[in-house]
Amino acid sequence: MNIKIKIKPKISYFVSILVSSVILLYFAYKGVVAYLIHRELYGGGLDTLVLLRASISGIMLLLIFLFIQFIKIPDLKSHRMILRGIFVGWTSVFITLIVVNLSSIYFILLTGPVSLISLVTLFSLEDQIKEEKNTLTEKEIYLLQQLAKKK
């Protein structure tokens, strides 16, 4: 598919890091507030609401670390596979939020564009991989020149 918009995979990863950070901060804040309220009302311990919010924050932190590691990968085919997973992940969160909880419009507005950016990046990456197949690397050119000199 030939798309005129070219988005590098790093941009998609940075946008995913940004959205994951927003979700992390939101649920960490809500978890701390829920913990403080629970501690004042019941004198200590952890509520399931606090644990769920802390779990979501932890998952988002793990995703942020993964996205940072994904930036360092040089191979385009690996980026394609990773971006497919990221697209499926953000799209499933987006659709689930629409079906289950339409009132969380801010999260829907956060995850929708990230999913779209991942999709556009995936299509432009497909074009880059096709272009890369048709070009020779420096090493291949050198080896072909050496082979031509031997004949």
Side-chain angles (χ1 to χ4, degrees):
M1 181 175 283
N2 197 358
I3 293 184
K4 297 189 190 257
I5 300 174
K6 302 287 184 193
I7 299 176
K8 293 184 179 181
K10 287 184 181 184
I11 294 173
S12 179
Y13 297 142
F14 283 129
V15 171
S16 294
I17 287 171
L18 179 69
V19 170
S20 297
S21 298
V22 168
I23 294 171
L24 168 90
L25 293 174
Y26 175 79
F27 279 104
Y29 169 74
K30 288 294 205 175
V32 169
V33 169
Y35 172 73
L36 293 174
I37 290 171
H38 188 268
R39 189 181 71 185
E40 289 297 320
L41 289 176
Y42 301 108
L46 291 175
D47 189 22
T48 51
L49 181 67
V50 175
L51 291 174
L52 285 173
R53 289 179 176 172
S55 298
I56 291 173
S57 297
I59 290 169
M60 288 297 128
L61 185 64
L62 176 68
L63 282 175
I64 290 170
F65 289 143
L66 283 174
F67 291 140
I68 291 170
Q69 292 301 317
F70 293 156
I71 291 172
K72 298 176 184 177
I73 297 174
D75 186 33
L76 290 179
K77 290 183 181 180
S78 299
H79 281 296
R80 180 178 60 187
M81 191 157 99
I82 292 167
L83 282 170
R84 282 181 184 161
I86 291 172
F87 171 70
V88 168
W90 284 121
T91 303
S92 62
V93 169
F94 177 69
I95 292 171
T96 303
L97 283 172
I98 289 174
V99 171
V100 173
N101 194 3
L102 194 58
S103 64
S104 59
I105 191 73
Y106 295 118
F107 290 118
I108 292 171
L109 292 176
L110 274 175
T111 57
V114 176
S115 176
L116 184 65
I117 289 171
S118 297
L119 182 64
V120 171
T121 305
L122 190 59
F123 286 145
S124 69
L125 195 60
E126 293 282 342
D127 293 338
Q128 288 177 5
I129 290 173
K130 287 178 186 174
E131 289 172 8
E132 186 181 87
K133 284 182 182 177
N134 295 332
T135 60
L136 297 174
T137 63
E138 295 286 329
K139 188 174 184 178
E140 291 170 339
I141 292 171
Y142 173 74
L143 290 174
L144 284 174
Q145 288 172 346
Q146 293 299 322
L147 187 63
K149 288 179 184 177
K150 286 185 178 180
K151 289 183 176 183

